[in-house]
Amino acid sequence: MIRSIILGCGAYLPAQILTNDALIKMRGLDSSDEWIERRTGIKQRHIAAEGEKTSDMATKAASAALADAGIDSGSIDMIVLATTTPDNVFPACAVRVQANLGMERGFAFDIQAVCSGFVYALAMADNALRAGQARRALVIGADVLSRLIDWNDRGTSVLFGDGAGAVVLEAREGHGTVADQGILSAHLHADGRHYELLQTDANAFIRMNGQEVFRHAVANLSSVVDEALAATGLKPEEIDWLVPHQANKRIIDGTGKKLGLPPERIVTTIADHANTSAASIPLALATAAHDGRIKRGQIVLLDAMGGGFTWGAAVVRW
Ligand code: ACO
């Protein structure tokens, strides 16, 4: 059977860094660095420059992923870009990236599943590769959530940052067992009954019931991780790396604890990146692959939960 192998990955973070202290001072927030770090694990976030668009960041992350994979954009058959903050309502941000990369062929579209976007995009690309619709895919997560923030709302303004990450997938023949390299399983869910718990208002500002989102995140991530283990037959101790969506350190720790994984086997970037929505998983993947933590042949478990609610997980042999 066909497996989607991750050939390479790349990341991009805007140059401007905003620490908790700088944010509090700049916006006059009734908050503290200590409160933010203790409740979320966040120390700082990157903020896109004025005029810096999602497609700009996505193009940089995609270029880095192509370079890491050692392939040319001309051999890419499909681009799936997960974003909640496209440059325009239409056309899709993905086609801008396609043009920026100098591509003249292939197909390209966006996916909107908020913070679960990258896992959704990865699953859709995997499906296309396994169906024979494409041989090589670029899967990108990119968001400028700083543009959806009511900076006076201390419950949300401290949580988010901007960035982009990307992976290159290639279809290769596998044996259909968990010994194969590539995406071994992917699991997606949505429950629109919780639409109002995390959404944008009429001014396009993020509004969130933080406690309820937290409660659902812990429960949904726990069940989807169980589902991924059951589907692959892998035991928690066989997971080399948990690379979760970075929304809150306490949610990440909860999933790690459930799996019995020591903190050293969980890739956590939230302190430096904050919640970058669809970009957070590919940013974390690129960080841990490039610093030598994630090695070829290891088992990586991805999980994410976002507005909708949407949530999902994927198991990958790197
Ligand atoms: N600084 C200081 N105090 C604050 C801040 C802040 N930045 N934010 C909230 N508080 C206050 C609240 O006003 C409240 O005060 P009160 O008791 O006087 O009313 C108090 O702190 C406790 O508030 P809680 O909401 O109970 O705090 P909690 O411990 O739940 O932490 C947080 C809030 C960090 C938002 C947490 O609920 C959380 O992380 N939730 C999940 C967020 C998440 O995962 N989002 C995913 C987004 S995914 C996407 O799709 C975009």
Side-chain angles (χ1 to χ4, degrees):
M1 72 179 281
I2 290 174
R3 293 290 196 188
S4 308
I5 314 289
I6 297 186
L7 280 187
C9 53
Y12 172 77
L13 287 160
Q16 190 200 339
I17 292 174
L18 188 62
T19 64
N20 291 341
D21 281 331
L23 168 58
I24 289 163
K25 199 167 159 211
M26 193 163 93
R27 303 290 174 177
L29 289 180
D30 180 12
S31 186
S32 68
D33 175 47
E34 190 271 333
W35 190 98
I36 298 167
E37 190 179 8
R38 185 163 43 82
R39 298 290 184 109
T40 70
I42 297 165
K43 288 292 288 176
Q44 62 171 45
R45 72 282 297 137
H46 290 247
I47 303 289
E50 211 182 318
E52 190 170 31
K53 300 188 293 288
T54 295
S55 62
D56 299 325
M57 299 196 303
T59 301
K60 286 177 176 148
S63 300
L66 288 167
D68 189 45
I71 64 165
D72 187 79
S73 64
S75 70
I76 296 292
D77 304 308
M78 83 185 276
I79 299 178
V80 196
L81 198 166
T83 187
T84 302
T85 50
D87 300 359
N88 294 320
V89 171
F90 78 88
C93 210
V95 300
R96 176 71 83 191
V97 174
Q98 182 196 26
N100 287 349
L101 293 173
M103 290 169 58
E104 293 174 3
R105 52 172 290 278
F107 60 101
F109 61 99
D110 291 356
I111 278 190
Q112 214 288 54
V114 208
C115 294
S116 311
F118 183 77
V119 175
Y120 267 62
L122 194 71
M124 292 305 117
D126 179 41
N127 289 342
L129 262 56
R130 287 190 294 111
Q133 215 160 26
R135 202 177 72 81
R136 280 181 174 167
L138 251 177
V139 182
I140 310 169
D143 266 310
V144 277
L145 283 202
S146 66
R147 306 224 167 105
L148 304 182
I149 288 174
D150 169 1
W151 292 102
N152 299 314
D153 176 8
R154 66 176 181 173
T156 54
S157 61
V158 302
L159 301 178
F160 300 102
D162 303 331
V167 299
V168 177
L169 297 182
E170 183 177 270
R172 291 223 190 125
E173 206 56 49
H175 300 286
T177 71
V178 288
D180 286 347
Q181 196 188 355
I183 298 172
L184 301 178
S185 78
H187 309 271
L188 304 178
H189 295 275
D191 187 348
R193 289 173 299 175
H194 305 297
Y195 192 104
E196 281 82 17
L197 292 178
L198 177 53
Q199 62 176 337
T200 49
D201 66 14
N203 296 313
F205 288 142
I206 296 170
R207 299 296 172 205
M208 174 176 77
N209 180 331
Q211 279 190 10
E212 279 299 300
V213 174
F214 193 100
R215 197 171 64 77
H216 283 280
V218 171
N220 291 341
L221 293 173
S222 167
S223 77
V224 80
V225 159
D226 280 345
E227 191 184 337
L229 292 178
T232 53
L234 290 165
K235 296 186 189 67
E237 57 270 27
E238 293 175 281
I239 305 296
D240 293 297
W241 296 103
L242 173 65
V243 184
H245 169 52
Q246 313 279 320
N248 186 312
K249 175 90 167 38
R250 290 184 291 142
I251 297 174
I252 296 172
D253 290 346
T255 312
K257 206 176 218 175
K258 184 198 152 54
L259 288 167
L261 286 184
E264 311 83 73
R265 278 166 48 204
I266 305 173
V267 178
T268 314
T269 55
I270 188 160
D272 296 331
H273 301 171
N275 180 350
T276 55
S277 192
S280 90
I281 289 179
L283 270 169
L285 277 176
T287 303
H290 295 159
D291 70 17
R293 274 180 286 172
I294 301 178
K295 295 180 178 61
R296 284 284 165 210
Q298 289 187 324
I299 291 285
V300 181
L301 173 62
L302 316 176
D303 72 2
M305 149 97 183
F309 292 135
T310 55
W311 66 101
V315 181
V316 182
R317 188 177 290 283
W318 199 254

